Amino acid sequence: MVPGLKIEPNEISNTAAAAAAMSWAETNAKRATVAVIGCGPGGMFFLHAVATKRRMMEEAGDTEGMKKLPDVTVFERSSDPGGVWRSNREFGHDEEEKEGVASGTTNMYEALWTNGPKENFEFFDYTYEDHFGGIELPTYMPRQPILEYFTARITRKNPNVFENVHFDTSVVSVKYDEERSKFIVSSKKKDSEDELVGEYDKCIWAAGSNGKPVIPENVDTMLKKGGFRGKTMHSSNVGNFQKDIKDKRVVLIGDAYSSEDLALQAVKLGAEQVYIYSRSSQGIAAYMGAWPLNKVEVIEDMNPTHVIQDGCGIRFEEMVWDMDTQDYTTVKDTQPLDLKNIAAVVYCTGYSQSMDMLDESIRQPWLNDNEYEDLPPGWKMKCNTFTDEVGDVDPSPILTLDDTTVTLGMYRGLVISNPNMMYYCENSETPLFEVDVTAWLFLAYIVGDIEIPTPEIMHQRNEAEILELMDMGEYRYTMDGNYAKAGDALYYKDENHWGFDMKDPRTLAYNRECEVHCLKLLARNMKESGYPLDIGTYEKFNEKGKQLVQNNAQAMIGRVNLEENGGRESFRDCQQSYRSILTGITAAPLRKIWLDLEESDYDDLLGRGKSMVK
């Protein structure tokens, strides 16, 4: 690879590389060149995996192995590493949004705290004890110390680890030249019109899923046509949040983690009342047993339909899930819920991947419908907690895989039609840990430690996983319309069904099944890739793996066990036995009730290691 190499357009083929798998052995006979798009956790952890592998080989005297390590070039449109963990916007101050919005990058707001146990993204080669020097840490942490922690982990033994990262550089296009088995990457530096073009053997998409903010068109259109006078914004653009919500009433659209965190931040910053619109009633915010000061209300089974109160209010009307159309419909002539004096609406509706710069031939799995139609004739589901109530439900002829661990056309991060193209795909509740393991998996593919299966075997293994997912109630509910109808009929028939009780052991076990499956996949990938930490096997966790499962389970229990008493506690104040799988250290309580914490209360965690990052 020669950075800046000029390639004539007519040399580039736009067709998918059918012979990519055949050229794999030939490509790996020399040191591979790898283009990595993005220097968030995915790009950072891949650089770290290569550096760590090199150091291990040096210590073992493995000169032949070192020859196989790739030459890596990373492209990052921001000026620093960290991806969404960086913050270019203040939160809670009367300032306008800063660099993040203008540059098109996606960043967290300054005051964000983690929503998952820190114990489940502690790294094998650099523990919290190593970084924070024995300071007692709570399980939920502010954003900045976590960013500094994993950056220090990468730079402490490799101070020049970012020397091959092109910061302030946007990737314009990525194409695959089938005849030459090369990726052609075109890029531009910030404030430059000159386009640089380089050739690479492999390409890794490490830009994550936080690309383009998703705005629900139906809600946004209703607010605009109705003349809503309050402010509307996406959760990624809340730089002026305190001015928008202090002593005011705010509606959050969506019930996932960003909604949960922003609801707590709104209460902390003095909001009068926060409403969370939970259309599906399945997001994490819908599971919360109680909220601080009873200032948060989750609106379920209703739909925003009209702007009222001369543009200052929003009407919600009852809705039901139509099991035939598999969509929500508004129920007419029912008592509406009128929310008045609403100052702001925040779309906590996530992101869509921004892959427009990739040629269609190398992002085909994301363009196709992720649907499966080839279940074996006569297939029956294994017995589970619902079997006695719903019986044997005949599966739908078409299964939807969007919310599962299988993407058709992909195999463990590889594009099946061209395994030189790799994607980070996050499925678990431990995303940083999962990204680190995936970095080692990709490296094992590249250096030949793991043999790339034939396309036929890849498809067969995907189909075997689909069958396994269909035996898990929560996965099958998202995949199989017939099973969803049967489950919905059961719920609508009995509003006191145990499935509505988040404290019921059967419900907890049902919800935990998906996360256990994701951790089993991680255990398998760790074994196969030579990841330097062992949590067991796909078939059986060891004690470390069991502790990971326990930590995640306690995070849910801490939420559902909160009781409505008007108190100031949030789920972050619940003292569970979260334990490090590396040091055995148990998480400490917060220094104050979370609502009462000031930003300065954990300033002693900052500036440790060698990672002064923003």
Side-chain angles (χ1 to χ4, degrees), residues 224-470:
K224 289 177 179 176
K225 287 186 176 180
F228 179 63
R229 297 167 61 184
K231 188 170 183 178
T232 61
M233 68 192 90
H234 190 267
S235 59
S236 62
N237 189 18
V238 291
N240 232 358
F241 201 46
Q242 186 174 38
K243 185 182 74 173
D244 294 323
I245 57 91
K246 184 172 175 56
D247 298 321
K248 298 174 184 176
R249 295 151 66 89
V250 60
V251 174
L252 307 182
I253 305 295
D255 58 6
Y257 284 107
S258 61
S259 179
E260 176 188 62
D261 187 68
L262 281 174
L264 292 175
Q265 292 286 355
V267 174
K268 189 183 184 79
L269 293 170
E272 176 188 326
Q273 186 71 22
V274 181
Y275 300 95
I276 296 177
Y277 167 49
S278 172
R279 188 178 74 162
S280 67
S281 302
Q282 295 179 5
I284 193 69
Y287 293 160
M288 198 73 68
W291 298 84
L293 305 175
N294 292 337
K295 280 194 169 186
V296 180
E297 178 182 345
V298 179
I299 300 173
E300 301 178 85
D301 301 322
M302 305 195 87
N303 198 36
T305 57
H306 298 87
V307 175
I308 59 172
Q309 197 194 0
D310 193 27
C312 296
I314 302 173
R315 171 165 293 172
F316 286 76
E317 297 183 74
E318 183 179 338
M319 68 176 185
V320 295
W321 178 253
D322 189 316
M323 291 183 287
D324 292 323
T325 64
Q326 291 292 288
D327 200 0
Y328 295 95
T329 59
T330 301
V331 180
K332 300 298 183 181
D333 301 323
T334 57
Q335 183 65 36
L337 172 65
D338 289 343
L339 304 183
K340 297 183 178 181
N341 302 318
I342 300 300
V345 172
V346 182
Y347 296 118
C348 302
T349 43
Y351 305 83
S352 62
Q353 291 180 321
S354 180
M355 296 181 178
D356 295 345
M357 75 287 291
L358 303 181
D359 189 74
E360 289 189 3
S361 65
I362 54 177
R363 59 182 170 103
Q364 201 61 43
W366 312 110
L367 300 176
N368 298 331
D369 291 333
N370 198 24
E371 296 178 342
Y372 182 73
E373 305 180 22
D374 297 315
L375 271 181
W379 176 89
K380 297 291 183 183
M381 186 180 191
K382 293 179 181 178
C383 292
N384 59 66
T385 50
F386 280 105
T387 301
D388 291 340
E389 299 181 77
V390 301
D392 288 326
V393 179
D394 291 334
S396 300
I398 298 176
L399 304 178
T400 302
L401 307 180
D402 291 342
D403 295 322
T404 74
T405 55
V406 175
T407 299
L408 297 179
M410 296 282 296
Y411 172 79
R412 301 183 188 180
L414 303 177
V415 175
I416 294 177
S417 62
N418 183 353
N420 295 306
M421 184 72 205
M422 309 175 195
Y423 289 86
Y424 282 98
C425 303
E426 299 171 19
N427 296 303
S428 74
E429 296 294 327
T430 56
L432 284 178
F433 185 33
E434 183 178 4
V435 168
D436 200 45
V437 172
T438 303
W440 281 76
L441 185 69
F442 289 165
L443 181 58
Y445 288 144
I446 290 169
V447 301
D449 288 346
I450 301 178
E451 183 179 355
I452 306 298
T454 64
E456 290 75 20
I457 291 177
M458 294 184 194
H459 288 302
Q460 289 171 11
R461 291 178 180 174
N462 277 350
E463 291 178 349
E465 186 171 346
I466 291 170
L467 293 179
E468 187 167 0
L469 295 175
M470 282 288 284

Side-chain angles (χ1 to χ4, degrees), residues 7 22 36 109 124 189 213 255 260 281 295 321 361 566 602:
I7 305 293
M22 297 176 59
V36 179
Y109 47 84
F124 66 88
K189 290 287 288 184
D255 58 6
E260 176 188 62
S281 302
K295 280 194 169 186
W321 178 253
S361 65
Y602 279 101

Side-chain angles (χ1 to χ4, degrees), residues 453-492:
T454 64
E456 290 75 20
I457 291 177
M458 294 184 194
H459 288 302
Q460 289 171 11
R461 291 178 180 174
N462 277 350
E463 291 178 349
E465 186 171 346
I466 291 170
L467 293 179
E468 187 167 0
L469 295 175
M470 282 288 284
D471 279 326
M472 303 179 201
E474 188 169 7
Y475 274 127
R476 186 180 176 189
Y477 183 89
T478 68
M479 299 164 66
D480 181 357
N482 287 351
Y483 194 73
K485 288 180 184 179
D488 291 341
L490 190 65
Y491 287 142
Y492 284 120

Side-chain angles (χ1 to χ4, degrees), residues 28-43:
N28 279 280
K30 57 182 179 60
R31 187 187 299 274
T33 56
V34 181
V36 179
I37 302 174
C39 199

Side-chain angles (χ1 to χ4, degrees), residues 114 116-122 128 132 136-141 146 149 551 578 585-588:
T114 60
K118 75 177 190 311
E119 290 74 16
N120 283 15
F121 46 87
E122 184 176 18
Y128 294 125
F132 295 107
E136 291 189 335
L137 302 173
T139 195
Y140 298 104
M141 297 275 288
I146 293 297
Y149 162 65
N551 288 342
Y578 300 101
I585 295 175
T586 302

